[in-house]
Amino acid sequence: NIYPPLTPNAWVRDNDDRLIKLALKGLWGPIEVNGKTYDPGAGVPPMIGFEHLLDDKELASVLTYVRHSFGNTGPSITPEQVKKVRAEVKDKQGFYMVDELLKIHPMK
């Protein structure tokens, strides 16, 4: 109950670029998933970014696994998609804030 679940939710299924960005840079701030709020102010650590830990193929594989597991359904993420997004966000420093990411990629 510390972190949001990976079970079916809009953060996992609705937007490829949003999912890739949060996996690359990490995420910080109160986040609502399936009607429950997870708040770092209550001691929840941020999600770390994996941009320096995983290459494009590895990150695409992890995100595709999440998209096809835990009751989720969704298209696979390709290494080419990760490469494109990685280039777009290469100069961004630090975590994405939840509200910042939702402003760029609103929920459907």
Side-chain angles (χ1 to χ4, degrees), residues 54-93:
L54 301 174
D55 66 24
D56 297 341
K57 184 177 178 183
E58 292 167 332
L59 188 61
S61 295
V62 168
L63 295 178
T64 295
Y65 174 78
V66 170
R67 279 248 173 113
H68 295 168
S69 303
F70 312 105
N72 291 298
T73 57
S76 297
I77 300 293
T78 67
E80 293 76 24
Q81 286 174 287
V82 175
K83 181 179 181 177
K84 177 182 102 26
V85 173
R86 188 186 298 268
E88 291 171 5
V89 301
K90 68 179 174 43
D91 294 329
K92 176 172 177 27
Q93 298 295 312

Side-chain angles (χ1 to χ4, degrees), residues 31-51:
I31 182 173
E32 184 178 319
V33 177
N34 297 338
K36 182 174 178 184
T37 299
Y38 298 84
D39 186 356
V44 177
M47 179 186 153
I48 66 163
F50 292 92
E51 70 179 324

